Amino acid sequence: MSDEPKGHRRAVLVALAANVAVGVSKLLGFLLTGSVALLAECLHSLADSGNQGLLLLGARRARAAPTQERPFGRGRERYFWAFVVGLILFGLGGVVSIIEGVRKLGDPSHGVDHAAVALTLIGVAALFEASSLRVGVRAARRSIRPGAGLWQGLRESRDPEVAVVVYEDTGALIGLALAASGIGASALTDNGVFDAAATIAIGMLLCGIATRLTIEMHSLLIGEPATALDLERIRSAVSSVDGVASILNLRTEHIGPDDLLVCVKVAFSEPVDFDGLIRVIDEIEAGVVAAVPATLTCYVEPDRRDSRRIGKVWT
């Protein structure tokens, strides 16, 4: 089982450090100004910090060696904890922010004090978030297929940590912009309704990001095949082995981001003796692992070429 890429771990650690620093600055801003938009952003950072901790926990548990009880290891731990991250972001960050914003919306006495201080703190927080996002984007571009755009690549990627970091940091920057707009408008008009409305908007933003993350991680938990690029590499590696007549069927599933299960049904050139069969199977397995290093296990089932059997389900 391959180790978690170091770039991904660094992206999570940088995001964790940034969220702790940002969360402290937002909390100070809320205490000084009474802005519920800053309180919503503080909850956002608190949720994000917990999320990074869960991602690190999942990555550490996923590195456990296979056992008799779990012969394919615990690679899906990374998907599970990323799924939990989405739920926490939705519940703690989004729903609570919306509730607080609605509550303050009906409070005519609500206002924002020391708006300049709040906006300064938001600017500092934006610098931290932008730095974290930069690291996350760099790590993401190393893991997505060549030629794919960032967002398309993240949707196709089987790595949960970088996707979570990029989504969270992007959402954080948008949330800071919403908070700044609400605080600035409230200060200019002396009407706290804008601050409350910004809080609701931040909550809706967090719920949207959390929903997207939860859907993607749910799909990965259920099981997704290799990417189109890896499937092409596997087919090429198998077809290039001397003695392979054709690929009758190919199935793959990600047990974890870096752990791929490959099952291939192959028609062999005839005639072939037993020793030749073993040789071809060994070469197929070695070729697949060389072409796609994430391959955890490759199973090869030999068969004879028969057009009636191509693409059929087999056991």
Side-chain angles (χ1 to χ4, degrees):
M1 182 183 301
S2 58
D3 290 337
E4 175 197 12
K6 293 182 179 179
H8 295 187
R9 179 178 174 81
R10 180 171 180 268
V12 175
L13 289 172
V14 169
L16 175 60
N19 279 314
V20 171
V22 168
V24 171
S25 66
K26 291 173 182 175
L27 178 60
L28 290 174
F30 165 68
L31 294 175
L32 288 171
T33 67
S35 166
V36 287
L38 276 178
L39 175 60
E41 278 297 298
C42 183
L43 291 173
H44 184 179
S45 293
L46 176 63
D48 285 354
S49 298
N51 291 344
Q52 268 85 60
L54 291 177
L55 291 177
L56 292 171
L57 171 65
R60 182 177 64 82
R61 290 176 63 87
R63 291 196 295 269
T67 63
Q68 185 175 355
E69 291 77 18
R70 302 194 180 278
F72 294 112
R74 307 180 68 98
R76 281 200 174 98
E77 288 270 4
R78 290 168 69 181
Y79 296 148
F80 171 76
W81 290 109
F83 180 79
V84 173
V85 160
L87 295 179
I88 291 177
L89 191 64
F90 177 85
L92 182 59
V95 174
V96 173
S97 296
I98 292 174
I99 292 174
E100 184 65 18
V102 170
R103 189 175 70 85
K104 290 296 184 182
L105 199 61
D107 182 4
S109 64
H110 171 63
V112 177
D113 300 321
H114 309 294
V117 175
L119 292 174
T120 300
L121 290 173
I122 287 175
V124 172
L127 290 176
F128 280 109
E129 295 288 6
S131 298
S132 174
L133 178 60
R134 183 183 180 189
V135 174
V137 168
R138 284 181 175 177
R141 292 200 181 280
R142 288 194 293 268
S143 66
I144 63 180
R145 64 179 174 85
L150 176 62
W151 302 112
Q152 178 65 27
L154 287 174
R155 286 194 294 271
E156 295 176 353
S157 176
R158 304 299 187 260
D159 295 301
E161 292 88 0
V162 172
V164 170
V165 168
V166 172
Y167 282 135
E168 282 185 349
D169 288 345
T170 301
L173 287 171
I174 297 174
L176 288 170
L178 290 171
S181 299
I183 292 171
S186 290
L188 289 173
T189 62
D190 197 27
N191 189 341
V193 69
F194 296 103
D195 182 54
T199 305
I200 296 172
I202 291 169
M204 294 175 66
L205 170 69
L206 294 179
C207 287
I209 294 172
T211 300
R212 181 67 191 177
L213 278 176
T214 303
I215 290 173
E216 291 189 10
M217 294 308 129
H218 173 258
S219 178
L220 289 167
L221 268 175
I222 293 175
E224 288 192 1
T227 63
L229 180 59
D230 282 345
L231 284 172
E232 180 63 28
R233 289 171 175 167
I234 292 170
R235 291 183 183 277
S236 178
V238 175
S239 299
S240 65
V241 174
D242 185 29
V244 173
S246 63
I247 297 175
L248 300 178
N249 214 328
L250 173 64
R251 289 184 179 180
T252 62
E253 183 172 323
H254 270 277
I255 305 301
D258 308 304
D259 304 307
L260 181 66
L261 176 64
V262 179
C263 303
V264 58
K265 190 180 187 72
V266 177
F268 286 76
S269 302
E270 298 184 48
V272 60
D273 58 19
F274 182 77
D275 290 338
L277 186 69
I278 298 301
R279 175 190 60 78
V280 175
I281 289 175
D282 288 343
E283 289 185 15
I284 290 173
E285 292 172 348
V288 169
V289 172
V292 183
T295 301
L296 173 67
T297 302
C298 177
Y299 294 112
V300 180
E301 180 179 350
D303 206 333
R304 63 171 55 89
R305 183 173 179 80
D306 185 342
S307 60
R308 293 173 300 176
R309 296 165 66 83
I310 296 177
K312 296 295 184 182
V313 174
W314 82 96
T315 57

